Amino acid sequence: MKIRIMTSGGLTGMGLPGVVQPKEVDLNNLSPALAKRARAVFSPGGAADSATASARGASAVRYEITVIDDAGGSRTCNFDDVGASSEVLAMIYELVQQ
């Protein structure tokens, strides 16, 4: 599974500071524990599925997360930092550091 992370908006209008866009992370290259947690968050029915886009405030960071499964299929979630759980945001921040 791969996770592609795109961000925009925020105070600077450029998404998360210091994140090269798009950021793509192959879960096969992560520690088994981190990969397991990422799969739980971004698999169908995971926490990312309940994230939503709020009434777009000027300072909200918007996320476009594309999950590419091992068979090559993909799905995309769009939400912002207001409509996402702390679990989802923490996982995104952890993945962009990889």
Side-chain angles (χ1 to χ4, degrees):
M1 176 185 281
K2 294 180 182 176
I3 310 286
R4 182 176 304 128
I5 302 166
M6 294 283 297
T7 65
S8 62
L11 292 175
T12 64
M14 300 180 68
L16 293 176
V19 176
V20 175
Q21 307 262 359
K23 173 70 175 184
E24 189 167 290
V25 179
D26 186 336
L27 300 189
N28 294 321
N29 296 332
L30 301 178
S31 72
L34 179 55
K36 181 178 179 179
R37 288 185 313 155
R39 284 181 193 280
V41 169
F42 293 109
S43 289
D49 279 357
S50 63
T52 61
S54 66
R56 299 184 182 255
S59 63
V61 175
R62 290 177 293 282
Y63 300 89
E64 179 181 294
I65 308 294
T66 302
V67 179
I68 305 158
D69 64 31
D70 294 330
S74 67
R75 63 187 185 86
T76 301
C77 304
N78 292 284
F79 52 88
D80 61 33
D81 56 359
V82 176
S85 70
S86 59
E87 177 186 16
V88 172
L89 295 175
M91 181 54 60
I92 290 170
Y93 295 139
E94 197 163 353
L95 291 176
V96 298
Q97 300 303 313
Q98 302 299 310

